[in-house]
Amino acid sequence: MQLIDPLLDYLPQIGAISPEDRQRWVAGIMRHHSPRAKWHVRRLHGFGGSEIGAILRHELKNGEGGFSTAKSVIEGKLLKRLPSFENHHMRRGNVLEPLARLAFLIRYSAVRDLAALKAIQEPHGKNGYEWHVGNPDDLCLIKNKRFVCDYKVPNAYTEAVEFDYDAQVHHYALGARLRGIKVDGVIIAKLDIAPEIAAGLVDRMANASHEQVLEMAKTIAKTD
């Protein structure tokens, strides 16, 4: 508990957090999420890309779908709710993201903008936007234009762009602009593959070398 508890004193909302909720949250994080404990504390300082859709839907009184609710997000910020455990959908996305990125870069002759990716890691320091946290999956250059890219590996094929995904990628674009990084557009790159194939790829990625991942990405890019 000594590892993260003092860090909570710097939260802007600390005055609204009860000592009981604080103690319970720290104990739960150290028990279930200790490897990423400090990362979870950093997320408490504002609203990230995966949360902004729920906040916007609440403010816009938009009742469509979504991956969370404003109530759940706020409860998390007030330490009344622990972060979700990784389910198989989340694991699929996390494990296959590098493959999706490589396939996208190859397919569209894109290049990662490493300078911009380094710059976006720095605090933006903009008054009025203290709530804005989070970093994109990628910043890429395609034909001399810079795009904010977010990679998804959905469970089912769809050409629709979910509201929360749309909100997420524009949230990251705002983060880039707050740091003076020019953005020409946003891209949500979906790696649409059958669930059984995705499950097999998750298993293969566990022990795959970079060369093997690269070959898989080339195959995906070629078949499009």
Side-chain angles (χ1 to χ4, degrees):
M1 292 187 185
Q2 296 299 320
L3 181 65
I4 63 170
D5 187 68
L7 300 177
L8 299 177
D9 291 332
Y10 298 96
L11 294 176
Q13 70 271 31
I14 190 61
I17 297 172
S18 74
E20 295 78 16
D21 287 336
R22 175 175 179 163
Q23 183 178 20
R24 189 183 309 111
W25 189 87
V26 170
I29 287 291
M30 297 311 296
R31 180 177 181 180
H32 302 293
H33 303 279
S34 58
R36 307 187 74 191
K38 289 186 177 180
W39 181 82
H40 284 297
V41 172
R42 288 196 296 271
R43 282 178 59 85
L44 295 172
H45 282 263
F47 299 115
S50 62
E51 301 163 330
I52 198 64
I55 300 300
L56 284 174
R57 281 187 284 105
H58 174 79
E59 292 297 319
L60 297 172
K61 295 179 173 55
N62 180 348
E64 81 168 64
F67 309 120
S68 183
T69 65
K71 181 176 184 291
S72 295
V73 171
I74 298 303
E75 286 178 346
K77 302 304 177 184
L78 295 178
L79 311 189
K80 295 181 178 295
R81 178 188 293 267
L82 283 172
S84 300
F85 289 100
E86 184 183 64
N87 56 37
H88 69 281
H89 295 301
M90 295 165 63
R91 175 169 171 73
R92 181 184 63 248
N94 291 334
V95 172
L96 296 184
E97 181 183 312
L99 180 62
R101 173 187 287 114
L102 268 176
F104 173 82
L105 295 175
I106 294 168
R107 173 67 179 81
Y108 295 99
S109 301
V111 178
R112 302 188 76 198
D113 190 340
L114 299 181
L117 283 167
K118 181 179 179 180
I120 207 169
Q121 299 291 329
E122 299 297 323
H124 56 73
K126 298 293 184 181
N127 291 333
Y129 291 89
E130 293 84 357
W131 55 269
H132 190 290
V133 298
N135 296 309
D137 288 342
D138 234 343
L139 286 163
C140 294
L141 298 172
I142 305 176
K143 296 181 179 179
N144 296 318
K145 290 187 176 182
R146 183 182 292 114
F147 295 88
V148 171
C149 301
D150 204 75
Y151 306 109
K152 305 296 183 186
V153 188
N155 186 48
Y157 174 78
T158 172
E159 294 186 0
V161 177
E162 294 82 352
F163 180 91
D164 284 23
Y165 285 169
D166 196 13
Q168 182 177 25
V169 76
H170 282 91
H171 178 82
Y172 295 143
L174 172 59
R177 290 193 291 271
L178 290 175
R179 293 165 175 83
I181 302 169
K182 181 178 181 293
V183 172
D184 296 293
V186 296
I187 294 173
I188 298 173
K190 290 184 178 182
L191 177 56
D192 285 309
I193 49 181
E196 59 273 16
I197 296 177
L201 287 174
V202 168
D203 293 336
R204 289 181 63 186
M205 288 286 286
N207 299 306
S209 66
H210 174 73
E211 290 73 20
Q212 290 171 321
V213 175
L214 182 58
E215 285 305 312
M216 286 189 278
K218 288 180 179 178
T219 300
I220 292 171
K222 183 178 180 180
T223 56
D224 198 15

